[in-house]
Amino acid sequence: MSEKESRGAPQLILAVNPGSTSTKVALAEGGELCCEETLSHSSEELVNFNHYQEQLHFRIGVVEEFLSRQKVPTSQLAALVGRGGLLKPLHSGAYRVSEAMLQDLVSGKYGVHASNLGGQIVAALAAPHNLPALIIDPVSVDEFCPEARLSGLPELPRQSMVHALNTRAIAHRHAAVMGVTLDDLNVVVAHLGGGISIVPIRQGKMIDANNANQGGPLSPERAGTLPVYDLVRLCYSGKYNEKDMLRRVAGGGGLSAHLGENDLRKVEQRAADGEAQADAVLEAMYYQIAKEIGAMAVTLKGQCSAILLTGGMAYSQRLRSTLEQYLAWLAPIFPYPGEEELRALVEGAWRVLQGWEVINEY
């Protein structure tokens, strides 16, 4: 984008999505992505930082360099939007990055993750120019209906931790395809990635979900729902400490535990080459995904108009074909493959700029 073009470009939006070893950035014009990059950070660059918070000024610098390469002064942006970090339970939508939010992100009060830097980066860049700094649909979005919150033990209520950003973006996209608003939809969205979130959306609200780290289908990296008695016995077996067990169920479970591989494409190839164990584990995962979608569809009381498949695994033709066999009778299935978080951030900020959504206060 040339300097001349940037001067005349209306409604420019900067989106920032920090990950553990990269910062993904994008510029959008009129709500459409026009430039995006993944700014990778080498181990040599990160070695002197003890934790994510110490990386803040380094990450701000790489985003500023990106804007400089695009010849877009920060002052010419209409809004800046960052990936929402680990925050208190919130309703879905757009939130202004306030001082109270920054305190929770910096302190890690609700958890420490690279995404905690998203709101901090855009706030720092926006402040000198008095521009809106936003986050959209953080993972802590909690719109559970009361029935979904209780578990069988009062000490262990079910928590809403969900791939909210991509889930709601896909629901918005499907609503646009159907010519309706999100508030008109009753759908189940299945986010199928390294972790799996199956979410029933009733008139715009995410009323339930499996916590991808604690239940639901086994996934490429998560164990999913486990036999409780046997899990307790394993925890007390003396073979594992707490850190080991947490790693086994969230990060080292699922396909990784059974097959030593978390790449679905490679596992499907192993199955296609005749490996019986790979084939059996895949069929079990697909079965569990279908079962969870069916369970979440029940919460919509027969008013499920569509099942939406998203995330990286939704590219798999074998997975989609299997889910069709299980679920086609329940509702039409629409694939929206990929995890387009930058696009989701931009679309959320654009809805705010157009006045279609209000900015919530944290």
Side-chain angles (χ1 to χ4, degrees):
M1 181 182 295
S2 71
E3 187 170 6
K4 180 179 179 180
E5 288 172 330
S6 71
R7 281 198 299 268
Q11 303 280 265
L12 283 172
I13 298 168
L14 172 71
V16 179
N17 181 10
S20 57
T21 60
S22 69
T23 305
K24 297 179 181 179
V25 291
L27 280 169
E29 180 178 339
E32 296 292 332
L33 287 176
C34 54
C35 175
E36 60 181 303
E37 289 185 22
T38 297
L39 310 174
S40 298
H41 311 314
S42 68
S43 56
E44 290 78 12
E45 290 177 303
L46 301 178
V47 68
N48 293 322
F49 301 114
N50 294 316
H51 49 77
Y52 290 127
Q53 192 55 44
E54 291 184 358
Q55 299 174 17
L56 177 60
H57 294 296
F58 164 72
R59 303 266 191 151
I60 291 171
V62 299
V63 176
E64 288 178 326
E65 290 173 7
F66 166 77
L67 288 173
S68 178
R69 288 196 300 275
Q70 302 306 316
K71 296 182 169 57
V72 176
T74 307
S75 59
Q76 292 185 358
L77 298 171
L80 298 86
V81 58
R83 176 75 185 274
L86 301 177
L87 296 164
K88 65 184 180 182
L90 299 166
H91 288 290
S92 57
Y95 285 82
R96 190 186 317 277
V97 182
S98 64
E99 191 58 41
M101 182 187 292
L102 288 172
Q103 289 177 8
D104 287 347
L105 292 172
V106 171
S107 69
K109 180 178 180 179
Y110 296 96
V112 176
H113 190 268
S115 60
N116 284 19
L117 295 172
Q120 298 181 62
I121 292 169
V122 296
L125 293 172
H129 309 286
N130 198 30
L131 297 170
L134 309 170
I135 66 165
I136 309 291
D137 294 329
V139 295
S140 59
V141 167
D142 185 348
E143 298 173 329
F144 274 14
C145 62
E147 301 89 333
R149 201 172 302 283
L150 269 68
S151 79
L153 292 177
E155 308 99 303
L156 303 175
R158 296 182 67 243
Q159 296 179 330
S160 177
M161 294 294 286
V162 63
H163 295 88
L165 179 62
N166 194 49
T167 296
R168 280 181 54 81
I170 293 305
H172 273 292
R173 206 165 300 164
H174 183 72
V177 170
M178 295 292 106
V180 298
T181 69
L182 187 56
D183 291 344
D184 298 319
L185 283 185
N186 288 345
V187 297
V188 175
V189 182
H191 173 100
L192 308 172
I196 292 174
S197 293
I198 313 292
V199 186
I201 298 181
R202 184 174 67 199
Q203 296 178 336
K205 301 296 183 185
M206 301 192 299
I207 62 170
D208 202 339
N210 66 289
N211 183 321
N213 287 335
Q214 298 193 39
L218 69 89
S219 80
E221 297 177 347
R222 270 79 155 185
T225 300
L226 296 168
V228 176
Y229 268 33
D230 293 336
L231 177 62
V232 171
R233 292 188 182 109
L234 189 60
C235 290
Y236 283 91
S237 68
K239 296 180 181 178
Y240 308 101
N241 60 31
E242 179 183 6
K243 184 177 180 181
D244 293 334
M245 284 304 304
L246 290 173
R247 172 63 182 168
R248 290 210 75 193
V249 300
L255 298 186
S256 295
H258 284 282
L259 302 168
E261 178 59 69
N262 66 359
D263 188 326
L264 178 65
R265 294 165 297 182
K266 293 180 179 179
V267 174
E268 287 191 334
Q269 186 59 54
R270 285 165 59 175
D273 291 341
E275 184 181 328
Q277 176 68 358
D279 189 71
V281 174
L282 282 176
E283 284 303 305
M285 182 172 71
Y286 298 164
Y287 169 84
Q288 292 178 22
I289 291 170
K291 187 168 68 169
E292 191 76 16
I293 291 172
M296 292 302 178
V298 167
T299 70
L300 301 176
K301 300 178 180 178
Q303 301 299 311
C304 181
S305 62
I307 296 165
L308 314 181
L309 307 180
T310 184
M313 287 203 296
Y315 284 109
S316 164
Q317 186 57 51
R318 174 174 172 171
L319 171 58
R320 284 157 51 175
S321 176
T322 303
L323 294 181
E324 284 277 354
Q325 295 172 36
Y326 280 114
L327 300 166
W329 65 272
L330 183 60
I333 299 174
F334 296 86
Y336 293 91
E339 300 179 40
E340 300 180 85
E341 292 171 337
L342 286 170
R343 180 178 174 185
L345 290 172
V346 164
E347 289 174 346
W350 180 247
R351 291 192 295 270
V352 168
L353 291 177
Q354 295 304 296
W356 300 334
E357 287 189 15
V358 299
I359 300 177
N360 298 291
E361 299 298 332
Y362 184 71

